[in-house]
């Protein structure tokens, strides 16, 4: 996946070390059979089976009869191209996660197991789902066809009834302008028609590589002809488990478009964007995870993404080369546990979390603050500020990461480590508030170089400090007033950081402000013809300049996962559903109209769901699981009511 | 290579973690061209080229014209199945080790480069050389043909003129008895003749997997016929750069058989044995390296082996899972530098040496002695002793490893690390001599459990301490008398440890004793029909029981690299050629007849060679390089003479 990105005419693999599976492994399983049993072994890799430790007497036959009684099966398996995998479905002997596996590092663990439930469905053949899509429109531009698929999509272009001799040049565009610019579009294919015809099946040639586009412009040599062009849309068949509707159709449109934007980026892993980079970025994924909890609740893609981001030891560079992105990984794991209650996954990843934290903690300066090494990228956001020295945002993320580690260590029974992480988290946040808080400006300054604060004030550290509850009530008020709602403080241009900005404002009860911001910011993209949300949006730009980024006229991604944050904002702060205990064992429902006449919708809560239906006069709510509490206000007074987990609607008059 | 071993009907991959190449890398090269130049890029992997850091404007065309002037070429390359490789041979722009490469770990280093000098010869296609061999004899046993290839060999069996329908069962034997035991032979193939005929080329079917054997017994179904069976011998085309001849034809035969034994095990890496394990073991390789310096002087296979043994970080288990085998790696690197003077290779491997030493030093007990963890194998030798607690041999190997590290650190300019390693080496050897020396027994005891010595006395620690010069003159005498030549001390049964035992005896002037031991031990194997030397030899065994080991009747390897130590003993102690300075910049020639009437031979000294020709009356010697000194005795008095490096013979009368 990390090498699927292309830029113009070449591959653009990610610029970090890529780690692979362990190629050489061994499975073991102890059985006790009343009578002998024949099993058929399907393996991806070179395997050998032996019984009861007699490893000099190995067998590679796929059909084997196991003797009755109690015996230990050992199967060594080697595969250096695909993940080694084993499938047995005997009458009693079946592969499952109760088998153990090791990579010969003294590390017997339970084997991984997923939905590959037949020998004809090996893991290496895993592919996302496909479904045909047709262009909604075709017109000639400079004599060549420009096809419009109606909205942003992703998949494999197909040519039907292709004939003739010559070359085809396909320029892809998320915008018309991009498709019509073969010299500057990001994605382009040049194909030899003879090869295509040779590779056609039943008269149709499907391109080998999937791409993101809405438009394609096909420049063909004169002797090349075809009947039609379509595409195979490629996607994860997620369930849309959330919904949101309200009295403002524009908000409804924003919500639906957000779901589609997130869905397009929900793939083998959560991607940043489907045109570019098609990579797995930890900071982007941190938000996609949260959006996912308020929509598809697809934990498989979350787990895959967390595992892929972390990679293997030894660590020499940060996740994605970015200091903050290492820190987001801990917080993502923390959120995962809170939303799912899945301690097993935490357990499996704990050692890797410890070594990542060790790696991070080696980078603290004499004040105890984490700083980037020369080879590190300290990102924070696409914005015009310097990240030299110790950046306040990084300290807050580190502190939150340490809190997560403290929680994990405690849950896994290492009280000493838990206390140690907890103490360090407190020290770092205390130092951060002490060193970076500017009384005159009423917020946390951006960075500190050589032990001296620089005057720059940004929203970033302040909003994270609010989110993670590191501020006193007085500090919170000051931050809202002097930083978040202060037009003198530089505005945030990326949906990435608007996510946190608007979440914090919701947490401070600024729902109406947030609704208006959604309308102007996300609504602004829709007004410009967006069918999915963008990587960055600056309302002051005009025309095709909106599409430029990174010094390329079409460099901007127009379908970026972080653009989908209204899912999170509307689910968590308008429908108001929040877990209080891991896996939604207990949760709060605290809906806010935020100036809307009415709203209704659903949020998945682990295996169950909550539905909310609110207008100015009443709240209706139903839940299918967990200990839910409804929070609401009548005549300015807060109230709380227990929500039964029986799936029946309850109603509160306001 | 680590998964080529088979045992009976299944693969037997090595039981340690296998590490792979970095799949995702980037090359860079800065050129300055007077005019534009067209280059053709051959790559193993998905590549993209861009100029001057403009990575969004990538090109994957294999033919490209580079602009004149000074520019930086960057080529990103991804290959997760084979080692990513690049080949360019333009007029001025050519790939070489002056290009730099990184795996995105902040680690620009010079690219690796070897003898792949055309685009049609990619590294992934590297194969050893092949040459046909015919059986020398065929006879029927139980109605099925038993073929004898005359001596131990390795390669691919071939069937010519195969026809009919049915199955073939081929049982391979290093001995006749093994070939005739399809139920117990280690190597066996069962083949379907239809598949073989389908896979035949020009009427001949070559088996897919090479195997070690002298004999094959072919049991075929009645309807299966063929004309002849031959084999393709697979080998590294090394140059035999050494020679040895003397007045005893048996010693000459031992020397030649040793060379053949070593050659068979000199492959992609130095293997332990060609039938079993076909793995790369550090303790075995340590000796193969030394034998190689006295024969082929093939440094490529040494370097490949050292790199493969070390693998990647993080270390969780010792090299080959064996504590001593981690320690031998340092000493092998030390020898490599002494025999070759190649500091570049030390530099490239230094960081990995540091982390391996860090890993080892974490295993010291409260007395400062290195001990095995529960998951470690403390091997020392195949012998009837316990390695519980702190084993004296391991301390001596650790001390020698630390001396090596001290030398490397010094050579690479880190004086502080050099001093620290040196100090630790001294402390450990002092503690070892203090704690393990038994005055009554006159040697180092074998091990120490819970701070108390156990009474067992073995040759192992004592001979390593002598080899590495850790004993006083008095202690040396005591060790020779009370341990090495003491029949009460358990005899060594493996050629592995006989290597060190006999080397030490030579260093104490016991050449005549060593010659007799060679005749009885290696000569004993020849008398039993050996054509290559064995993994273990116990003269008290009889008949086919010689072939058993590891609880298998044919488990013993009859072609084991460590069986070839006469190469080393005769080259270093009889011809007497030893480097005194790295890369043979200076060396000693100190020949010994050891009871022979005459001897003569050659030893490679890096790029040059030394020839020696000695009888009781005179020594003749010639050398082509380095500062050589001849040491000899007349009438009991030691003398020294300078050997000119002009390749001319000089003669000394005795």
């Amino acid at each position: 996946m990390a090498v699927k990105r292309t830029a113009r005419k070449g591959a653009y693999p990610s610029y970090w070390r890529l780690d692979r599976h362990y190629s050489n492994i061994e499975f073991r399983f102890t059985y006790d059979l009343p009578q002998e049993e024949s099993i058929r072994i399907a393996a991806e890799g070179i395997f050998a089976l032996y019984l009861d430790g007699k490893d000099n007497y190995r067998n590679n036959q796929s059909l084997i009869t196991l003797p009755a009684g109690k015996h230990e099966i050992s199967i060594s398996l080697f595969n250096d191209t695909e993940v080694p995998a084993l499938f047995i479905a005997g009458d009693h002997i079946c592969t499952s996660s109760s088998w153990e596996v090791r990579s010969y590092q003294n590390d017997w663990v339970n084997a991984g197991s997923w939905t590959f439930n037949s020998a004809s469905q090996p893991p290496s053949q895993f592919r996302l789902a496909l479904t045909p899509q047709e262009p909604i429109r075709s017109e000639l531009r400079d004599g060549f066809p420009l096809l419009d698929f109606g909205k942003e999509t992703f998949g494999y272009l197909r040519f039907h009834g292709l004939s003739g001799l010559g070359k085809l040049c396909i320029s892809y565009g998320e915008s018309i302008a991009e498709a019509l610019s073969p010299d500057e579009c990001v994605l382009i294919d040049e194909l030899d028609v003879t090869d295509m015809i040779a590779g056609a099946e039943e008269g149709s040639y499907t391109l080998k590589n999937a791409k993101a586009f809405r438009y394609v412009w096909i420049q063909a040599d004169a002797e090349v002809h075809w009947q039609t062009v379509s595409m195979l849309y490629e996607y994860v068949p997620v369930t849309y488990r959330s919904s949101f509707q309200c009295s403002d159709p524009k908000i409804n449109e924003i919500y639906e478009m957000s779901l589609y934007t997130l869905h397009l980026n929900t793939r083998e892993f959560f991607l940043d964007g489907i045109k570019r980079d098609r990579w797995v970025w930890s900071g982007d994924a941190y938000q996609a995870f949260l959006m996912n909890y308020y929509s598809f609740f697809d934990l498989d893609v979350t787990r895959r993404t967390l595992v892929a981001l972390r990679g293997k030891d030894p660590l020499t560079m940060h996740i994605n080369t970015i200091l903050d992105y290492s820190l987001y990984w801990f917080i993502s794991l923390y959120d995962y546990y809170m939303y799912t209650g899945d301690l097993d996954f935490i357990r499996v990843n704990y050692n890797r979390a410890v070594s990542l934290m060790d790696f991070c903690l080696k980078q603290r300066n004499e004040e105890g603050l984490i700083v980037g090494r020369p080879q590190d990228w300290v990102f924070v956001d696409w914005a015009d500020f310097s990240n030299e020295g110790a950046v306040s945002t990084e300290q807050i993320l580190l502190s939150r990461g340490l809190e997560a580690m403290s929680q994990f260590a405690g849950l896994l029974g290492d009280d000493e480590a838990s206390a140690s992480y907890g103490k360090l988290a407190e020290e770092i946040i205390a130092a951060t508030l002490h060193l970076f808080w500017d009384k005159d400006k009423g917020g946390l300054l951006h960075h500190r170089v050589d032990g001296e604060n620089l005057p720059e004030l940004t929203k970033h550290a302040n909003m994270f400090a609010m989110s993670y509850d590191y501020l006193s009530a007085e500090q919170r008020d000051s931050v809202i007033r002097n930083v978040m709602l202060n037009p003198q403080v530089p505005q945030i241009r990326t949906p990435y950081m608007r996510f946190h900005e608007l979440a914090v404002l919701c947490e401070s009860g600024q729902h109406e402000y947030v609704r208006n911001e959604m309308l102007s910011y996300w609504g602004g993209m829709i007004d410009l013809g967006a069918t999915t949300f963008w990587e960055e949006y600056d309302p002051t730009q005009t025309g095709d300049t909106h599409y430029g980024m990174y010094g390329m006229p079409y460099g901007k991604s127009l379908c970026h996962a972080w653009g989908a944050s209204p899912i999170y904002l509307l689910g968590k702060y308008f429908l108001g559903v929040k877990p209080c205990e891991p896996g939604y064992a207990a949760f709060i429902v605290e809906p806010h109209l935020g100036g809307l006449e009415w709203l209704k919708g659903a949020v998945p809560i682990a295996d169950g769901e909550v539905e909310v239906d609110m207008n100015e006069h009443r709240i209706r709510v139903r839940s299918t699981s967990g200990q839910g509490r409804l929070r609401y206000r009548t005549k300015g007074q807060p109230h709380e009511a227990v929500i039964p987990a029986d799936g029946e609607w309850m109603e509160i008059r306001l």
Side-chain angles (χ1 to χ4, degrees), chain A:
Chain A
M1 280 296 286
V3 301
K4 294 283 189 189
R5 173 179 180 181
T6 56
R8 305 282 311 150
K9 294 178 184 170
Y12 197 154
S14 61
Y15 46 75
W16 43 83
R17 191 187 76 206
L18 296 180
D19 296 324
R20 306 209 68 218
H21 61 269
Y22 292 112
S23 58
N24 192 32
I25 65 169
E26 187 170 26
F27 291 105
R28 72 177 178 191
F29 182 69
T30 299
Y31 70 76
D32 197 347
L33 278 177
Q35 57 205 38
E36 66 174 33
E37 176 168 316
S38 287
I39 57 167
R40 184 173 288 280
I41 301 168
E44 292 211 284
I46 298 166
F47 80 95
L49 176 147
Y50 56 96
L51 281 183
D52 303 324
K54 292 178 187 149
D55 56 1
N56 280 318
Y57 292 85
R58 288 164 175 249
N59 204 307
N60 65 355
Q61 303 301 303
S62 57
L63 193 61
I64 194 168
T65 300
L66 297 174
K70 188 168 180 179
H71 298 278
E72 186 190 61
I73 306 172
S74 298
I75 299 183
S76 68
L77 184 53
F78 172 80
N79 194 335
D80 61 356
T81 53
E82 303 290 349
V83 175
L86 194 68
F87 181 77
I88 299 171
D91 289 340
H92 299 89
I93 309 292
C94 300
T95 41
S96 74
S97 58
S98 63
W99 286 52
E100 288 181 300
V101 67
R102 65 167 173 169
S103 55
Y104 301 103
Q105 299 183 84
N106 202 40
D107 56 351
W108 287 106
V109 293
N110 286 100
S113 178
W114 204 46
T115 59
F116 301 103
N117 293 324
S118 89
S120 61
Q121 195 195 3
S124 69
Q125 298 306 307
F126 174 75
R127 296 289 179 273
L128 302 188
L130 297 172
T131 193
Q133 285 184 348
E134 302 291 333
I136 60 161
R137 197 175 300 118
S138 174
E139 58 183 297
L140 291 182
R141 291 291 186 105
D142 289 349
F144 296 110
L146 173 74
L147 308 185
D148 176 3
F149 284 82
K151 60 181 178 179
E152 177 90 15
T153 188
F154 185 90
Y156 305 85
L157 211 61
R158 309 188 76 191
F159 285 79
H160 309 281
L162 192 66
S163 65
L165 208 66
K167 294 215 177 277
L168 272 182
C169 176
I170 306 164
S171 44
Y172 298 83
E174 291 187 311
S175 61
I176 290 182
E178 184 178 14
L180 293 177
S181 298
D183 292 338
E184 291 292 352
C185 64
V186 173
L187 305 181
I188 189 163
D189 272 324
E190 284 183 344
L191 298 161
D192 187 289
V193 172
T194 307
D195 296 343
M196 295 170 77
I197 292 171
E201 291 181 15
E202 298 180 11
S204 298
Y205 177 79
T206 306
L207 269 68
K208 300 284 176 247
N209 295 308
K211 289 193 162 63
F213 57 92
R214 173 175 169 179
Y215 304 95
V216 293
W217 191 40
I218 306 169
Q219 293 178 286
D221 287 349
E223 304 75 20
V224 178
H225 304 282
W226 61 87
Q227 286 161 4
T228 56
V229 170
S230 69
M231 61 97 60
L232 285 175
Y233 172 60
E234 188 187 54
Y235 65 105
V236 179
V238 294
T239 305
Y240 281 58
R241 292 182 58 192
S242 73
S243 65
F244 184 87
Q245 286 182 297
C246 69
S247 50
D248 186 335
K250 194 79 172 189
I251 296 280
N252 296 344
E253 195 181 354
I254 289 169
Y255 186 81
E256 296 302 322
M257 200 173 285
S258 296
L259 284 177
Y260 184 56
T261 301
L262 181 63
H263 193 182
L264 281 168
N265 285 288
T266 302
R267 313 196 67 80
E268 291 87 345
F269 308 97
F270 280 117
L271 300 187
D272 64 331
I274 59 173
K275 174 175 84 173
R276 204 221 81 239
D277 303 327
R278 296 177 67 172
W279 292 348
V280 187
W281 291 96
S282 181
D284 307 51
Y286 168 48
Q287 300 188 358
F289 298 147
L290 288 169
M291 298 173 201
N292 180 38
Y293 300 129
Y294 285 94
S295 52
F296 317 132
F297 213 90
D298 184 320
L299 303 185
D300 289 322
V301 66
T302 297
R303 284 190 288 254
R304 291 195 299 260
T305 303
L306 282 166
V307 168
L309 282 169
R310 175 58 182 82
K312 285 183 179 174
D313 287 317
L315 291 157
T316 59
M317 296 293 285
H318 284 285
I319 292 179
N320 310 129
T321 77
I322 303 178
L323 175 57
D324 4 337
Y325 279 30
S326 286
L327 302 174
Y328 283 126
W329 187 84
F330 300 104
I331 307 174
S332 296
L333 212 55
Y334 178 92
D335 290 340
Y336 176 83
Y337 180 63
M338 177 53 88
Y339 279 92
T340 69
D342 176 7
L343 187 59
D344 282 345
F345 185 72
I346 305 299
R347 186 178 289 114
V348 166
N349 285 279
Y350 180 69
N351 287 343
R352 287 202 179 89
V354 168
S355 54
L356 179 60
M357 186 54 86
D358 287 347
F359 179 70
C360 292
L361 291 175
K362 281 191 189 133
Q363 294 188 215
R364 293 199 298 150
N365 69 10
E366 60 286 351
E367 294 185 310
L369 304 175
I370 194 164
V371 291
R373 303 168 300 169
Q375 64 267 43
D376 296 333
W377 182 6
V378 180
F379 173 55
V380 183
D381 192 11
W382 292 127
D384 299 324
F385 49 60
S386 156
N387 289 320
E388 197 191 346
V391 175
S392 49
T393 303
E394 305 290 340
Q395 315 313 316
I396 289 165
L397 295 177
L398 174 60
S399 183
R400 183 62 158 183
L402 285 162
E403 287 178 354
M405 289 303 295
S406 175
Q407 186 196 33
F408 302 154
L411 288 164
L412 299 174
D414 188 346
D415 293 336
E416 198 180 321
S418 179
S420 159
Y421 285 126
K423 182 163 169 289
L424 202 50
E426 281 173 26
E427 286 169 10
I428 287 168
I429 200 61
T432 302
L433 292 173
H434 173 69
L435 293 170
F436 291 92
W437 186 266
D438 186 295
K439 278 191 181 152
D440 296 338
K441 293 185 173 162
L444 294 163
L445 296 177
H446 182 71
H447 65 147
R448 188 171 167 83
V449 178
D450 297 332
E452 297 286 336
N453 282 339
L454 288 168
E456 199 154 30
L457 181 70
T458 60
K459 293 184 175 177
H460 299 78
N462 291 287
M463 66 202 191
F464 281 107
M466 283 197 64
S467 272
Y468 302 152
D469 211 12
Y470 291 151
L471 302 181
S472 65
E474 193 185 342
Q475 286 170 322
R476 292 179 71 94
D477 286 348
S478 170
V479 161
I480 289 290
R481 212 171 50 249
N482 297 311
V483 185
M484 301 311 293
L485 298 177
N486 177 358
Q488 305 303 315
V489 174
Q491 299 304 296
I492 288 176
R493 286 201 314 265
T494 56
Y496 176 51
M497 280 294 146
R498 295 231 88 183
F499 178 100
H500 298 292
E501 179 187 25
L502 298 180
V504 159
L505 289 168
C506 286
E507 283 176 7
S508 309
Q510 307 282 335
H511 293 77
E512 194 143 347
Y513 178 91
V514 169
R515 180 177 56 78
N516 285 322
E517 286 295 301
M518 273 198 267
L519 286 170
S520 69
Y521 189 83
W522 280 269
M525 287 187 254
I526 292 178
D527 293 343
L528 288 171
T531 60
T532 48
F533 292 119
W534 303 352
E535 182 176 16
E536 187 177 65
Y537 169 53
D538 180 351
T540 65
Q541 292 184 322
T542 55
D544 292 347
T545 58
H546 276 295
Y547 307 134
M549 208 168 164
Y550 310 104
M552 303 173 73
Y554 306 102
K556 187 180 288 174
S557 159
L558 301 191
C559 177
H560 224 67
W562 72 29
S565 52
I567 295 168
Y568 177 71
L569 297 171
L570 294 169
K572 185 168 182 184
Y573 299 113
F574 285 73
L575 295 176
V577 180
K578 298 162 225 179
C580 314
E581 287 179 19
Y584 278 101
F587 61 92
I588 296 293
V589 181
E590 191 174 7
H592 284 272
L593 287 173
L596 294 165
E597 288 167 29
W598 57 268
L599 57 75
K600 61 182 181 180
V603 169
I605 52 168
D607 295 334
E609 66 165 348
V610 166
E611 272 192 274
V612 178
D613 173 5
M614 181 183 191
N615 61 30
E616 285 160 20
H617 309 297
R618 55 123 180 87
I619 301 174
R620 296 173 69 232
V621 61
R622 59 179 283 274
S623 154
T624 61
S625 62
Q627 300 183 0
R629 280 171 298 148
L630 179 68
R631 286 194 184 149
Y632 60 98
R633 286 177 173 263
T634 55
K635 296 173 188 159
Q637 292 305 305
H639 301 279
E640 208 167 274
V642 169
I643 308 169
D646 59 2
E648 299 297 320
W649 285 101
M650 66 176 267
E651 181 170 316
I652 299 286
R653 305 294 304 176
L654 299 176

